Each structure stands twice: as C-alpha cells, then as structure tokens.
Amino acid sequence: MTQTTAGRPINEPGQRKQRAQISARTLRTDRWWLAPAITFAALASFLVYGFWAIFDTSYFVEPYIAPFSSPCLTTACPEGARFLGLAPIGDWFALPPGFLILGLPAGFRLTCYYYRKGYYRAFWLSPPACSVAEPHKKYTGETRLPLILQNIHRYFFYGAILIALVLTWDAVLALRDENGSWGHVGLGTIILWVNVVLIWSYTLSCHSCRHITAGRLNHFSKHPVRYKMWTFVSKLNRRHMLLAWLSMYSVMIADLYVRLVAKGIVNFPFA
Amino acid sequence: MGYKAKFRVWRGEGGEGKLEDFVVEVNEGEVVLDVIHRLQATQAPDLAVRWNCKAGKCGSCSMEINGKPRLGCMTRMSTFEENDTITVTPMRTFPVIKDLVTDVSFNYQKAREIPSFTPPQDVKPGEYRMQQIDVERSQEFRKCIECFMCNNVCHVIRDHEENKQAFAGPRFLMRIAELDMHPYDVADRKNEAQEEHGLGYCNITKCCTEVCPEHIKITDNALIPMKERVVDRKYDPLVWLGNKIFKRSGSSPAKSG
Amino acid sequence: MDIERHEYDVVVIGAGGAGLRAAIEARQQGKRTAIVCKSLFGKAHTVMAEGGAAAAMGNVNPADNWMVHFRDTMRGGKFLNNWRMAELHAKEAADRVWELEAWGALFDRTKDGKISQRNFGGHEYPRLAHVGDRTGLELIRTLQQRVVALQQEDQELHGDAEAYIKVFAECTITRLLKQGPEPEAPISGAFGYWRETGRLVCFDAPAVVLATGGIGKSYTVTSNSWEYTGDGHALALLAGAKLINMEFIQFHPTGMVWPPSVRGILVTESVRGDRGVLRNSEGKRFMFDYIPEVFKDKYATSEEEADRWYDDQAGNRRPPELLPRDEVARAINSEVKAGRGSPHGGVFLSVVGRLSPAEIVRRLPSMHHQFKELADVDITKEAMEVGPTCHYIMGGVEVDADTGASSVPGLFAAGEVSGGMHGSNRLGGNSLSDLLVFGRRAGAGAAAYLDGLAARPVISAETLQDAEQEAVAPLSRAGGENPYEVHHELQRTMNELVGIIRKAEEMREALEAVGKLKERAAGTGAPGGRIYNPGWHLALDLRNMLLVSECVARAALLREESRGGHTRDDYPAMSAEWRRKLLRCALTPGGEVAIEEAVQPSMRDDLIALFDRAELSKYVTADELADYDALVKES
C-alpha cells in the first residue's frame, strides 16, 4: 500500500501558549531566605577576615606560620618563616607576602562548583532559592566572559594541591618547639593539623579531581586503579559542601590563632 | 481521624485564572493528589489535573505545592499542619492548559533535539558486553521518570522565557551525560552540549537536584561531570596538547578508556 | 462541529510497551503510523512493571532455553494458554530483549558483562532481564527513545520528524470506525477527542492496533492506573471482535494495603525472589501450608531447604513464596480470612535480616523509595504489609498468534488487551516480554495486511456521526448523574462480588447491579467545558468499564471450575473437561454481551511431547492422555 498524505493537523492542541498568571514572586511558605542569608553572612565574614589578615604582619611565630601567609617567598619574611629557607622572590616585592600566593586558594574556592552555587544564590540572587524568581532581566549563565572563566577550575585545583602540600609541610614543622627540637605538640600544632586534614579533604573532594581520577573515562572496568581512586573521591565529593565550609573555617581559625600567638595575646604554655 | 483542610487551587485556562479556595475533607494517610481527586468527585468535577500511576513512578502529577515543585502523589498530607492553607498551582515554567495541567511539549521538543544512542556499527544485538560498574552512572540517570520538575524549577528558563531556545534544561543535559557515559555510545556530544544545548547556562545552583523525586544527583553526577568533559574538549590546553602528542586512537579522545 | 481529520496507514491505540513496539515495527516496515494515547508520551502503565522481562537467554543458568520457558508458561497458565502464542513468545523473547539493548537500554549485568537475569515465581531458572526494580520504566523509555530516533531519521530524510511516525498524546479513542455495520466489515479508522482541548478527531486508517492494556479500574483495589478502563476490550467488542478468557483476572498477591490512598499499589515479586518471606500475624512462614498438589515436587517443604535454594538452586527446591501468583494470592486471602492478618488487613512481607540494609537498597531501590515516601516505612528495618490487588487480565481480544489479527479485518491487538497467551494465569515477567514479542508481531501483521489490501476501506458517514454524538452527549447532560459515583459503585460491585473468590449468587447479583449501572451511566452528565474536563472523560470511559465488567462477570459465572485467575468457592477444583473450553464474548446486534463456548485447540505434537506424562495427567482428560501415549509410542 502506498503512502498517503497526512495533511498537517489543522489545529494543534494547546494553542494558547501562556503561563499561569501568578504575580507572586514565590508561593513558598517556608523560610527560603534563611539559607542564602546564612551563606551571605558566612562568606562575607570570611572576606572581611581575609582582608584584614592579609595586611596583618604578625604572621609568624616559631614554630607556626599563619596559613594565609604561607608559603612566605620574599626576603621580607623572617628567617624561619621562609619556605624551605628560601626567598626566591627576593626583596623587590613590597606588598604583604600573602598577595603572592593567595590567588591560588582564593581562585580554587572562587571557581569551586560548590562555592559557585553558594554565591550565585546568596550574592547574585540567581536564584536566591529554588522556585523564587531572580531579580535579573537577562541571564546568560556561564556562557560568556567573565563567568566562562569558571571552566579553568581544574588549574586552580592543581594549584590548590601545591598549597595543601605547603600547609602540610608547615604542620610538620609545627612539630618542633620554638628552639627547633622535634616532638613539640602545642594547641597550635593540633589546630594546624586539623586544618591540613580538612584542606586536603576539601581539595580532593573537588569535582575536577573526580573528573581527573576517572570521571572522564567511559570504561571503569579497564582502569581498576583509577576507578578505585574515583570511588574514593566520589565518596568525599558527596560531602563537598560540608568540607568547603569546614575547611574555610578551619583555615580562618588556624590563621587567626597563629596571629594571636605571634601578637602575644595567646601565650599560655601549651600554645 | 479525618479533618477539613483549607486548599487554594489555581484554576483557569490559557494563562488567565486565579486561586480558588476550597475546604475539603482529608483522611489519614492521604496525599495531596487524593485531596485533589476528592475535590473533583465532590466539588469541582471539571478540575483538571494530570495523573497516572499514583505511586511516584510515572511523573505525571507534577505541580507546585506551597510554591515548591512536587509530585502530588508523593506529597503526604501529614507533612502539613491541620490548619495550614495548602496552595496548589500548575508548573510555572510551562504554558498552562487548564487548572493544574500544563503544556509540557517543550520537553518533548528538546528530547527530539538530542541525537539518539549511537552504537558502533559492527556490534549486533545480543553481542553487547558491559560491566556493571560501567553502566551504573548512566543507569542512575535512566531512573528519570520525566516529571519535568527539574526543567520547571530551573531558573534559566523559569525566570527567562527567552532562554528556552538555547537551553535544553537539566533533564536533557542529563540525557546527554547519560549517552556520553554509555560504554557503547560513539557519538561526540561535548561540543553540542555546550554550543547547542546550553550547558554553559547552568550555574549549578542545584535546584534540579533539590526537586528530583527520584533523588538523582543531577548536578553532581550529570551536569558537573558533563561540564568537566566539555572543559576537556574546549577549555583545557593541557588535554588538547596531550592528545596532539600522544595521538589517542579514535575520533573521540575523551571517550577513550 | 468540525472534526480534525488525519490519514494514516496504521493507528496504534496505546503507547505502552506493546503499542510502541507495534508502532516501531509498522514504521520500520515503511508504514505511516500514528500512536494515539490517553496520557503523555512515556507515561503508560508499563512504567509500573518492576520485576523484569522473561527471556530464556541462559545468561545466568545456561540450562535455560525456550522449551523450558514454554513449559513454565503453559504450566503457569494451567494449560489453557494459546500454545502457539506461548511458543512464539518463548522463542522470540530473547531477541526482543537484545534488540532493546541495541536501542540504548541498560540492563543490570552479570560478571561476564551479559544481561543479568533474576528468579521469579513460576520460572524454573533465573530468567528475568531487569534493571533494579524499575524494568518497565527502562523498557518504555527505550522504546520511547527509539521512536524519537526514528523521528530524527525522518527529519533528516524528509525534513519532517513526524512524517512517518507521530504521537498523539492525551488523545482518547472512543470508537473504531468501519466500512459498514456488520462484524466482518473492515476497519476504516478511529474516532476520539483531544483531552486537552476537547476537540474531536478522526483518524482515517485501514489498520488499527489495539494496545490499550487492562481493565483494573473496574475494581476498587487495583495496581492499575486510571487509564486501565478496558478501552481496547470494549472498542474491539463494539467493532465486532471477540474476547476470550475474560474470567481470568490476576490478583497480584502483594499490593500495599496501607495507607488507604495507595492501597493496591504493587510490591514487586522480586522482593520474594530476593529472599523476602511472607509471615502471618503469628510470625509463621505460612506459604509452606499452601503448596498445591500439582507443585508438590518442585517446592521446598522446610525453611532450611527454601533458604538454601537462593544460593544453590540446583540442589534444592524453591521456596513456596515463589509459587505462581494465583496460589500466593489465595494463600494470603485465606490467612487474612482466618484472622491471622496484619493490622491493616494484609500479611507481612519482610527482607529484614535476610539481606543487609545496603543490599536491600541496591536490589530493591524503587520499593525502598516507594515505602519510604508513600507509607513512611523503612523496609530495611520493618516488614511491609501486603495483600492481593487486581493486577492483570489474562483475557482479551481473540487474535491470531502469528499476526495479532482479530476476527475483524484490519483490527489487531497486542499486550494485555489481547487474550490467550497467558492462559488462566500469567507468570511474572512474561508480561514485558509479551509486549515486545506480540507488539512487534502485531505491527508486522498490520503492515502485511496493508500490503495485501486493494483499496482503503472508507469511513461511513453514519458511523462517524454516531461516534460524534456519543462523544459529546455527556456535555449536554449538565444536570445528569455524577460519573464519579457510578464509577465508585461499579468498582465496589466488582471488587466485592467478582473478586478473587467467586460464588454463583454473588456474580448474579453483580450482573444485576451492572445492568442498573449501565442505565445510570447513560444518564451521566459533565458540567464544565470541553477543555481538559475529567468528568466528561470519565463519563465516556464508563461505557467501556461496564461492558468489560459484564464480560468478566458473565464468563466467570459460566466457568464452573477453579483455575488460575478464576477461583470459584462453589467449584473449588480444576476440571480437565473445562480445560478444553474457551469462553468467547461477543456483542449481539442489540448491544448485549453474549458468550459462547469454543474448543481449545490441542497442542501441536512436538510441543506436547515436551511435557512428561505425570505432569500432563494433572491437567488433561483421559482421551487427551491416550493421544499423548500414542504419540510417545510412535516416536
């Protein structure tokens, strides 16, 4: 039997193409604004602290160095604070040493898939919460500059690994007392170690890391070792948000603690 | 056991309409869809609502309950206080046909724009060999019941009608990820995901994941991994260089392995 | 009023597994195909199927083959099956499953990378290809995506994605159109309305494939969705086709019994396949008391043996929880009646302590989800309360096994709406494979019919007018009876009087009630407009439900034996004489349901030879057994 002509339908159903006219921005009855408000406050407090800390010069006291200023790479750094005793940058760099290296962890967190969610919601209100209308007329997401740069997250991840290594070294050095003998464990040592564990957990739970280990493969079964790594990272990744917050606060607390010791405000024996 | 609940239901046709108040009986163990059905049977026989299985498996009864995208059949009345007023409205992102029924043809159109599963030519039915660990990722995405609540809640199109052209929505970006991770799919989907289906519009604010009734981790397991795969292709000079130097086999380097 | 008109080669009514597979086949054979379905595309009841698709691929146990599958199917159907259908099904199911894989389906895997297969009630070997417990969803999505793939192909070739296959979603067919009024007049089209707009629509097509599923919505407690109003059964009857086996309705043994709003929703049999056990309120694993004589040698008699079976199937007999569904349903029914039921009138089904919580979630994800979300029960910690629920009708349109053709030229049927394949009781897992095997065959049958057709039958103006009047009638009776009440009344009637256990006087009572409801249904009205008006839709569906209910009740009253999905309190035994009889429903010119007895054709020699004498002797008459003996002697 031959084909017959269909004849386009005279009239498709659902002709009136209009959304339900509901003027309310949202009909949510719960406290949807709470989460973005908390995120806003928490991120803002971190920024304020970071701004202060970077200009604060009391970042070193034997055997601790404040994480925000480590690694210390200029000759302006006190002898013991210099990373591996070196000062590769020399003396031309006049700004506080933190400026040299903070770009890496800051960039890592700025382009982090979790923080992006956090600040897009809390700062840019895009959207403030699910099914709450955003205030912007136009939206292009991460399709053009500058937000398209979010795609370089994985390079910051590599950088963050370096920083995590440095902080680990700092924590190792914190096992010495102020005279350089090993075996010291002060409150500062513990704080630095907790921080370093959290920093590592956060760094390794990164989505880019998950992709690099094996996420990019289509045949896990042919790469058992990488699959194992992926499985481990995936487990951490499920807690990426939690780790992001914990490590942010741990680094802030560790930094503040070292500065307090350096300033002599904290000077009890087990500091 | 039973009590009278206050309901506000959006009623209207083709966009025009308003919230109408009802007082309706509720019994123990019921869900919102039961109450809507009771409204139909007793007070408003022409109240339109789409539903099928009533067990959270078909994804038909998507609606917004107190402003949140929910399946009517999976929203237990016991999650509300007896004196709450429960507001039920149609999905906001799609044109409304009548009452709670929306025209979801946007989704079917997008589905048709995603190139289908493309197996290699030389594998015959019955010859497929895949390991469980290799299919699990895509299997998670195939749990999708197509309730379209992720597309409904996504602000990219919910708040910006004009983006509908360029953006396939979480449901279909996830479909691309599903196919891209399929051990036997040979099509290259990375450029398309970014250029034609609008993956870049996603700002990973995760509302799709929040509303998913199947609890699929859409953002973490589909959209972000897909974004990373796109980075491999489009934004990562190292990978590009590596591919140049080591000449990976096949036309689809990121598919290797 | 103007009616939207479309012209197609094949119109497939229903977009579940059978409908989509039929449409895909018709399109692949070059026919212009319309898929018309009441719901959105991809929402059909097939998504509810959990366990899997039975196909003798032998991936888990290489001893499996089509002959074993055939035997299991016949045994499950108590030898009332259309044996040719059972044969085709057993032979072709594997190919149909493999084909799905080539279309993108991702089944669970065995260690060597093949499709994994699970145990299920009534199947001798692990046979069900599955994806966790959401196999139906995988199947429908794969077929849906296959349709889309074909549309993309057409887009490329013809510049129009819908040139050869188009889905008419949320569109209800109310009448089949024919060239003339007589039963043997050929099909010329189908008539219906768009649910969204209320606009009437007429399809001009020489071949119609019915794939509308079942009739569960005539019952109160059912696992079926609202769509299961017996549309295809009724459309076929009205078009002059015959229905067979309508008395056989499967009550799935394990439906949820709590909370009331989800009463009837299914708890998959795979729970029992995965070590789940049934206990009564006394904590007793009661299924051991209900192993019927015909199954005695195949099922374990002690808990120890039953529990060993899960790990060593060769050396042990199966746990009685895995008896065919009708047996388990009746057992639960008896326990509840004896006062040993659970608080909400079911029994306890539990996997607690038999699998680790993580394993439960992995193997039964959607059950875990369903109980958590719908009943607030964590099945890793608590037992489920379950009881029988109306699940599946074995009866349906009498069709030719090879082509799915009914007695009306141009009318085909596949899937649940067709009858014969499952005999008096369907095995779990045989439904999904049935959809695929016979969906494809019906699509091919329709294509072949078209190829042999000299001219397209025309739609007579008269039938079109009748159909139109009938469709809009409830809208003009705005003050008429509430269709929801008539529906509830019918559900109660069928549930209580033609339910799982049946008695002659109750069924007579039911028939009387159905007769009265028919009159009331004729007076139902639907206030409101045409746009998405569910009251109107229900008023129209009532005709179908009432017709089908009448068939069920009449056939059930006539069949004076108990077999599979038909249990008579007054005739508790299975009768070899009745095995040779089919009850065939037709509509008289006056619109009454009439039933005639037909002879069940004898099995082909090579097929009957697959059974051993001892087993056959439980089912067949002395004459048939003598024939068997003669056959065996010859060979």
Side-chain angles (χ1 to χ4, degrees):
Chain A
M1 177 146 196
T2 53
Q3 304 311 322
T4 53
T5 52
R8 298 296 302 164
I10 318 156
N11 227 336
E12 291 284 4
Q15 293 230 303
R16 296 162 307 280
K17 296 277 180 197
Q18 217 189 350
R19 299 178 179 206
Q21 302 297 298
I22 298 169
S23 52
R25 187 174 163 217
T26 183
L27 291 169
R28 280 181 70 164
T29 50
D30 55 340
R31 286 182 291 171
W32 56 263
W33 43 265
L34 191 62
I38 292 173
T39 309
F40 182 87
L43 287 177
S45 68
F46 181 75
L47 289 178
V48 169
Y49 174 81
F51 197 71
W52 169 77
I54 205 163
F55 290 102
D56 178 61
T57 49
S58 40
Y59 51 79
F60 177 70
V61 57
E62 285 285 2
Y64 308 135
I65 180 162
F68 276 32
S69 305
S70 174
C72 212
L73 301 172
T74 67
T75 35
C77 305
E79 198 82 358
R82 291 179 191 175
F83 185 63
L84 303 174
L86 304 170
I89 302 296
D91 54 7
W92 60 269
F93 192 80
L95 290 169
F99 273 99
L100 278 173
I101 44 92
L102 272 186
L104 286 182
F108 184 51
R109 285 180 193 254
L110 197 67
T111 59
C112 158
Y113 286 99
Y114 167 68
Y115 281 104
R116 271 144 83 181
K117 171 198 167 189
Y119 62 75
Y120 284 140
R121 281 195 185 196
F123 283 73
W124 193 241
L125 308 179
S126 176
C130 299
S131 65
V132 177
E134 57 174 304
H136 311 288
K137 279 238 154 54
K138 263 192 82 69
Y139 174 88
T140 53
E142 301 179 338
T143 55
R144 52 182 76 174
L145 282 170
L147 292 182
I148 200 168
L149 292 177
Q150 304 278 28
N151 285 311
I152 58 176
H153 184 51
R154 67 177 60 164
Y155 289 96
F156 285 112
F157 164 70
Y158 296 130
I161 295 255
L162 296 179
I163 296 295
L165 286 171
V166 170
L167 293 184
T168 311
W169 181 237
D170 291 346
V172 169
L173 294 184
L175 290 168
R176 306 166 310 166
D177 61 16
E178 60 269 38
N179 307 314
S181 340
W182 292 95
H184 161 87
V185 177
L187 182 57
T189 319
I190 293 166
I191 288 177
L192 286 185
W193 273 106
V194 168
N195 177 48
V196 119
V197 168
L198 288 171
I199 291 280
W200 271 115
S201 308
Y202 167 65
T203 307
L204 292 178
S205 70
C206 160
H207 291 85
S208 289
C209 173
R210 189 173 179 225
H211 175 76
I212 292 159
T213 49
R216 62 197 305 279
L217 304 176
N218 278 2
H219 296 91
F220 288 156
S221 53
K222 292 184 190 156
H223 303 85
V225 177
R226 289 180 73 179
Y227 176 62
K228 268 223 167 87
M229 283 160 48
W230 180 85
T231 312
F232 173 72
V233 171
S234 297
K235 264 190 198 135
L236 282 179
N237 181 263
R238 263 172 250 150
R239 303 208 162 69
H240 198 48
M241 174 178 93
L242 179 70
L243 292 168
W245 285 114
L246 288 179
S247 62
M248 189 178 96
Y249 273 94
S250 74
V251 76
M252 200 156 93
I253 289 166
D255 189 80
L256 179 65
Y257 181 83
V258 173
R259 289 173 202 273
L260 291 180
V261 177
K263 287 175 196 299
I265 298 172
V266 171
N267 55 7
F268 38 79
F270 52 88
Chain B
M1 278 299 206
Y3 70 98
K4 301 274 187 195
K6 292 185 287 260
F7 263 69
R8 302 182 74 199
V9 182
W10 194 88
R11 299 211 61 193
E13 284 172 19
E16 311 287 319
K18 60 178 193 320
L19 289 165
E20 250 175 58
D21 289 296
F22 295 95
V23 174
V24 56
E25 193 188 318
V26 174
N27 300 318
E28 197 193 346
E30 288 187 328
V31 293
V32 168
L33 187 60
D34 289 312
V35 180
I36 305 266
H37 281 156
R38 184 160 304 117
L39 282 176
Q40 272 184 345
T42 58
Q43 302 181 39
D46 61 337
L47 170 62
V49 59
R50 195 180 263 139
W51 69 287
N52 262 32
C53 75
K54 220 171 157 290
K57 286 183 198 291
C58 75
S60 298
C61 58
S62 310
M63 52 183 78
E64 298 191 5
I65 299 170
N66 284 346
K68 282 189 189 173
R70 303 292 301 267
L71 291 179
C73 70
M74 296 295 267
T75 309
R76 287 200 306 275
M77 287 302 294
S78 60
T79 56
F80 304 104
E81 298 295 326
E82 290 196 4
N83 48 10
D84 283 353
T85 299
I86 298 160
T87 308
V88 186
T89 50
M91 287 195 282
R92 213 187 255 227
T93 304
F94 310 119
V96 71
I97 292 167
K98 186 185 168 194
D99 305 339
L100 302 175
V101 177
T102 51
D103 173 2
V104 292
S105 54
F106 165 80
N107 300 287
Y108 289 98
Q109 192 186 322
K110 290 294 175 185
R112 208 184 275 166
E113 289 167 11
I114 313 276
S116 295
F117 172 56
T118 315
Q121 303 247 308
D122 54 342
V123 187
K124 295 196 178 48
E127 290 177 352
Y128 285 69
R129 294 291 178 271
M130 297 178 263
Q131 288 302 314
Q132 185 63 34
I133 53 171
D134 294 338
V135 299
E136 260 163 10
R137 278 182 301 178
S138 297
Q139 277 186 334
E140 181 191 6
F141 310 144
R142 290 183 73 82
K143 280 184 352 199
C144 170
I145 58 174
E146 298 206 329
C147 63
F148 306 128
M149 290 200 294
C150 55
N151 281 3
N152 170 52
V153 81
C154 182
H155 68 112
V156 176
I157 45 178
R158 185 183 177 94
D159 298 338
H160 305 279
E161 179 75 26
E162 70 280 5
N163 286 343
K164 278 188 177 173
Q165 189 72 30
F167 186 63
R171 162 67 188 114
F172 297 104
L173 293 171
M174 178 172 86
R175 166 81 171 140
I176 296 174
E178 172 209 318
L179 290 167
D180 205 60
M181 294 176 191
H182 191 299
Y184 271 95
D185 188 77
V186 297
D188 184 3
R189 302 175 184 276
K190 290 160 193 82
N191 276 324
E192 267 183 11
Q194 188 77 353
E195 306 295 332
E196 286 171 40
H197 304 294
L199 183 58
Y201 281 82
C202 167
N203 70 346
I204 52 175
T205 35
K206 285 201 171 172
C207 287
C208 50
T209 307
E210 270 184 40
V211 301
C212 180
E214 285 292 306
H215 308 301
I216 302 171
K217 299 276 177 277
I218 303 174
T219 321
D220 283 326
N221 289 348
L223 303 186
I224 295 176
M226 202 59 216
K227 275 185 176 244
E228 286 292 321
R229 284 172 177 232
V230 169
V231 173
D232 280 348
R233 175 60 47 83
K234 292 178 70 87
Y235 306 112
D236 190 334
L238 273 193
V239 172
W240 177 83
L241 201 67
N243 288 340
K244 278 271 171 213
I245 295 168
F246 299 112
K247 276 257 180 229
R248 304 251 179 119
S249 59
S251 60
S252 165
K255 280 247 160 185
S256 64
Chain C
M1 168 184 314
D2 72 320
I3 299 175
E4 189 180 316
R5 310 271 308 229
H6 299 279
E7 229 176 86
Y8 279 94
D9 295 337
V10 180
V11 169
V12 178
I13 307 175
L20 292 182
R21 189 62 191 84
I24 289 168
E25 192 61 23
R27 152 65 181 75
Q28 286 178 342
Q29 305 214 7
K31 303 299 178 236
R32 290 180 26 80
T33 307
I35 302 168
V36 187
C37 54
K38 293 210 283 188
S39 291
L40 290 174
F41 187 28
K43 303 293 180 200
H45 196 60
T46 308
V47 300
M48 302 289 285
E50 291 158 342
M57 297 182 282
N59 290 350
V60 172
N61 190 329
D64 201 11
N65 59 46
W66 75 266
M67 289 172 280
V68 188
H69 192 180
F70 171 77
R71 276 204 300 263
D72 288 344
T73 302
M74 293 298 293
R75 200 176 281 142
K78 303 283 193 296
F79 284 75
L80 201 83
N81 317 50
N82 177 321
W83 51 262
R84 174 65 177 159
M85 287 175 100
E87 178 198 6
L88 289 171
H89 171 260
K91 282 181 173 165
E92 293 176 5
D95 283 335
R96 297 287 81 76
V97 169
W98 284 325
E99 175 179 82
L100 288 182
E101 199 167 48
W103 294 343
L106 286 173
F107 292 101
D108 286 348
R109 318 304 300 181
T110 61
K111 284 220 160 55
D112 53 354
K114 294 179 184 169
I115 296 173
S116 173
Q117 299 185 271
R118 71 153 51 111
N119 282 302
F120 232 58
H123 293 282
E124 191 167 340
Y125 297 113
R127 190 176 285 148
L128 271 65
H130 60 275
V131 189
D133 50 5
R134 54 164 191 86
T135 316
L137 175 67
E138 186 70 12
L139 192 132
I140 197 114
R141 201 62 83 229
T142 304
L143 293 173
Q144 179 186 348
Q145 286 162 352
R146 174 65 185 164
V147 168
V148 168
L150 290 170
Q151 289 181 328
Q152 290 170 343
E153 221 176 276
D154 290 341
Q155 173 77 44
E156 218 148 90
L157 286 172
H158 313 287
D160 176 10
E162 292 175 335
Y164 278 80
I165 187 164
K166 179 170 163 125
V167 181
F168 293 78
E170 304 206 297
C171 186
T172 306
I173 297 295
T174 57
R175 277 273 174 180
L176 297 180
L177 303 172
K178 307 220 303 171
Q179 186 155 270
E182 61 282 359
E184 57 279 5
I187 289 286
S188 55
F191 178 89
Y193 61 91
W194 287 101
R195 290 161 54 79
E196 278 185 7
T197 57
R199 201 180 147 79
L200 302 177
V201 54
C202 170
F203 294 91
D204 187 325
V208 169
V209 180
L210 294 172
T212 54
I215 61 132
K217 272 296 148 185
S218 301
Y219 284 81
T220 314
V221 182
T222 175
S223 62
N224 295 170
S225 75
W226 68 268
E227 300 174 286
Y228 269 34
T229 48
D231 293 7
H233 291 84
L235 290 171
L237 267 187
L238 289 165
K242 316 273 193 309
L243 308 183
I244 54 165
N245 294 351
M246 291 300 286
E247 63 275 33
F248 298 110
I249 293 180
Q250 185 173 77
F251 287 80
H252 193 287
T254 58
M256 290 174 80
V257 297
W258 177 258
S261 68
V262 293
R263 198 180 173 123
I265 289 176
L266 226 56
V267 178
T268 175
E269 197 169 324
S270 12
V271 176
R272 281 171 284 142
D274 281 336
R275 294 173 191 262
V277 291
L278 291 163
R279 293 184 195 280
N280 60 21
S281 59
E282 294 162 2
K284 185 173 182 210
R285 203 170 152 183
F286 59 84
M287 279 311 297
F288 290 99
D289 303 340
Y290 292 93
I291 304 172
E293 200 50 48
V294 287
F295 290 115
K296 272 268 186 298
D297 49 336
K298 293 215 176 324
Y299 286 84
T301 43
S302 71
E303 293 199 24
E304 294 70 33
E305 182 181 3
D307 285 345
R308 280 197 305 269
W309 176 85
Y310 300 108
D311 302 312
D312 173 17
Q313 286 150 22
N316 297 285
R317 290 173 300 176
R318 310 159 64 83
E321 276 84 5
L322 293 178
L323 276 161
R325 290 177 171 177
D326 52 333
E327 310 288 354
V328 182
R330 279 198 296 270
I332 295 176
N333 203 54
S334 309
E335 285 296 306
V336 174
K337 281 207 168 149
R340 295 189 291 268
S342 68
H344 298 107
V347 295
F348 296 104
L349 170 62
S350 178
V351 278
V352 182
R354 300 179 59 84
L355 286 173
S356 72
E359 192 72 348
I360 292 171
V361 176
R362 197 186 69 75
R363 289 214 217 176
L364 305 164
S366 70
M367 276 307 104
H368 182 253
H369 179 74
Q370 178 176 319
F371 272 86
K372 196 91 204 99
E373 308 264 333
L374 293 175
D376 206 13
V377 166
D378 182 351
I379 65 167
T380 64
K381 299 198 181 81
E382 294 170 69
M384 300 163 249
E385 277 187 67
V386 296
T389 171
C390 174
H391 181 51
Y392 187 92
I393 182 155
M394 271 66 74
V397 182
E398 188 177 30
V399 291
D400 171 54
D402 292 70
T403 62
S406 74
S407 60
V408 177
L411 182 62
F412 299 79
E416 192 172 351
V417 69
S418 69
M421 157 72 203
H422 305 289
S424 67
N425 180 43
R426 174 178 69 83
L427 292 185
N430 268 3
S431 177
L432 289 183
S433 40
D434 167 19
L435 305 182
L436 297 170
V437 168
F438 294 104
R440 178 185 150 277
R441 282 192 165 268
Y449 169 77
L450 281 158
D451 291 337
L453 206 60
R456 287 173 77 96
V458 291
I459 296 171
S460 78
E462 212 181 320
T463 54
L464 188 59
Q465 211 171 19
D466 285 352
E468 184 187 342
Q469 270 168 8
E470 182 186 47
V472 297
L475 289 167
S476 61
R477 291 190 297 257
E481 175 136 24
N482 182 340
Y484 294 96
E485 274 168 25
V486 177
H487 183 210
H488 288 161
E489 187 76 39
L490 172 68
Q491 289 183 307
R492 267 197 301 277
T493 304
M494 291 304 285
N495 216 70
E496 283 163 21
L497 305 177
V498 201
I500 184 164
I501 309 285
R502 300 160 177 179
K503 292 187 183 103
E505 65 271 20
E506 287 185 350
M507 285 184 283
R508 285 199 195 94
E509 199 183 317
L511 279 167
E512 206 169 302
V514 168
K516 285 197 189 123
L517 287 171
K518 264 182 161 173
E519 282 165 32
R520 283 174 65 187
T524 49
R530 282 191 172 208
I531 297 179
Y532 221 105
N533 183 342
W536 175 37
H537 304 163
L538 181 61
L540 291 175
D541 290 342
L542 279 176
R543 178 201 69 192
N544 302 340
M545 285 188 269
L546 284 160
L547 258 183
V548 171
S549 298
E550 189 178 345
C551 287
V552 171
R554 282 197 194 283
L557 182 59
L558 281 178
R559 184 173 283 273
E560 295 179 333
E561 65 157 348
S562 292
R563 175 185 298 274
H566 172 66
T567 306
R568 289 282 298 256
D569 209 28
D570 39 2
Y571 297 94
M574 195 156 71
S575 140
E577 284 305 324
W578 267 105
R579 194 199 70 78
R580 310 201 65 183
K581 290 181 206 164
L582 293 176
L583 295 176
R584 185 188 276 150
C585 310
L587 222 51
T588 64
E592 300 293 311
V593 172
I595 298 194
E596 57 174 18
E597 277 183 19
V599 180
Q600 165 84 323
S602 303
M603 224 184 290
R604 212 172 59 218
D605 288 353
D606 60 315
L607 294 178
I608 201 161
L610 294 172
F611 296 91
D612 61 44
R613 190 177 194 282
E615 174 161 32
L616 280 178
S617 66
K618 295 173 192 164
Y619 296 98
V620 303
T621 58
D623 290 357
E624 291 172 290
L625 207 56
D627 291 347
Y628 172 84
D629 290 336
L631 175 74
V632 172
K633 220 180 210 171
E634 253 172 57
S635 56

